[in-house]
Amino acid sequence: MDMSRKKSGVLYVVATPIGNLDDISLRALEVLKAVSLIAAEDTRHSRKLLAHYGIAGRMFALHEHNEQKVTDKLLKTLLGGDDVALVSDAGTPLVSDPGFYLVRAARQAGIRVAPLPGPSACIAALSVAGLPTDRFVFEGFLPVRAAARSQRLRELATEMRTLVFYESSHRICECLTDMAECMGSDRQATVARELTKTFETIRDGTLAELVDWVQADSNQQKGEFVVVLQGAPARDSDIDEATEQALTVLIAELPLKQAASLAAKITGLPKNRLYEAGLVIKGK
Ligand code: SAM
């Protein structure tokens, strides 16, 4: 072992507030004071947070457009023995925010990467949504283009876990309208707006109710949003989704017995099990 080799610094991934500046951990403040360099998504934005806590750290911009380019430079700093903190504009870095390339590269280089946990809009919204949280899917932002957005929502229509989406003020109406169209207007959801800020609003209802509510009040279209959506109801049959889809198509064209027999040939599943599943599908 080369004992002369200098010990690498630590890359701290530091969560910062999503609105209320008091939502930062004591440890995060200590680390931000102590590190040699703070890599921030927007240095001007993070400078305000640091100034609020009397921290005058050396800052370096790391955003989605330069992340790959500046990762080498930050690795050199870390390998030289200096500690670096990574922060984003709000919440936990890497959660719909830059940092993935840097963290992966640091781990590959054998550098210690330490989390400083704290706020994330996803978890904050889930914690108050009143929807099941034992399992959930974080979907981040939906595609901006209408066709791609609807396609993604249709793909997610049978997902049974609670779904979490990020949305901006520009598209919150379209997003809820498309959800109602693709997931069914009776599906339950919670809209969490401006969490931890002055105009924090948390509203639940069916998608149809939420579309009406947001459309009726332009104030409810402002700010930052998380939409937490109830998962699809449990399927009645014990066959997988693709088999159920195939069986549904066959049943539409053939008598049930024949459809089950054909589905059994295609999938290799027992005919009687498919017949049973077919009865459930027909009963819907
Ligand atoms: N890294 C952040 C986190 O951990 O939540 C998320 C960054 S992402 C670029 C920004 C999006 O997060 C916003 O468009 C919004 O959907 C959501 N968001 C952030 N702060 C929020 C807040 N205070 N209330 C509601 N949603 C918020």
Side-chain angles (χ1 to χ4, degrees):
M1 193 202 273
D2 175 9
M3 298 303 284
S4 65
R5 208 176 132 200
K6 209 169 164 191
K7 199 166 170 282
S8 298
V10 178
L11 173 62
Y12 293 100
V13 180
V14 183
T16 57
I18 56 169
N20 188 322
L21 291 188
D22 288 347
D23 292 334
I24 188 157
S25 77
L26 296 175
R27 199 172 142 233
L29 293 175
E30 273 169 30
V31 163
L32 290 171
K33 262 182 212 150
V35 291
S36 310
L37 190 66
I38 299 169
E41 192 181 359
D42 178 342
T43 52
R44 272 185 309 178
H45 181 94
S46 297
R47 182 74 68 200
K48 287 184 200 145
L49 173 74
L50 297 182
H52 182 78
Y53 287 103
I55 301 170
R58 192 154 72 88
M59 300 193 88
F60 188 87
L62 180 145
H63 43 72
E64 61 173 325
H65 305 295
N66 76 351
E67 183 175 352
Q68 294 190 49
K69 228 167 72 189
V70 301
T71 286
D72 277 351
K73 186 177 155 41
L74 288 170
L75 288 187
K76 274 191 197 122
T77 305
L78 286 156
L79 289 168
D82 287 325
D83 292 340
V84 173
L86 171 69
V87 297
S88 58
D89 284 355
T92 302
L94 281 85
V95 179
S96 288
D97 265 340
F100 162 64
Y101 288 103
L102 175 63
V103 168
R104 184 177 59 176
R107 295 192 61 79
Q108 283 169 351
I111 291 163
R112 185 178 153 219
V113 183
L116 265 96
S120 183
C122 165
I123 301 297
L126 262 179
S127 72
V128 293
L131 289 166
T133 51
D134 47 347
R135 286 179 188 179
F136 64 88
V137 186
F138 175 62
E139 272 296 313
F141 290 96
L142 283 164
V144 172
R145 280 182 38 250
R149 188 166 60 239
S150 296
Q151 191 190 329
R152 182 78 198 115
L153 286 170
R154 273 194 291 272
E155 284 162 9
L156 291 168
T158 53
E159 172 57 64
M160 287 193 278
R161 292 166 290 184
T162 296
L163 298 118
V164 184
F165 299 89
Y166 281 171
E167 197 47 271
S168 74
S169 52
H170 311 298
R171 276 179 296 276
I172 186 65
C173 284
E174 290 88 329
C175 162
L176 290 169
T177 307
D178 289 353
M179 281 180 182
E181 206 177 290
C182 301
M183 315 288 209
S185 51
D186 287 344
R187 184 88 73 98
Q188 201 71 23
T190 301
V191 174
R193 181 176 83 94
E194 294 286 89
L195 290 168
T196 78
K197 302 187 207 176
T198 312
F199 297 107
E200 177 181 272
T201 314
I202 298 155
R203 174 91 173 201
D204 60 63
T206 63
L207 284 169
E209 287 165 349
L210 290 170
V211 168
D212 289 348
W213 174 68
V214 172
Q215 278 178 349
D217 183 354
S218 62
N219 283 324
Q220 298 305 334
Q221 299 164 24
K222 294 177 186 156
E224 298 189 285
F225 297 84
V226 183
V227 179
V228 186
L229 185 63
Q230 183 184 36
R235 294 203 328 277
D236 309 312
S237 66
D238 64 347
I239 55 171
D240 68 38
E241 204 183 316
T243 306
E244 185 174 317
Q245 264 171 10
L247 195 54
T248 307
V249 173
L250 290 169
I251 287 170
E253 303 291 329
L254 302 166
L256 177 55
K257 216 168 147 191
Q258 224 177 321
S261 166
L262 211 52
K265 280 188 191 138
I266 297 167
T267 62
L269 290 170
K271 206 174 2 181
N272 57 351
R273 193 165 145 208
L274 290 159
Y275 186 86
E276 294 292 325
L279 284 174
V280 174
I281 293 168
K282 274 178 83 89
K284 273 186 187 169

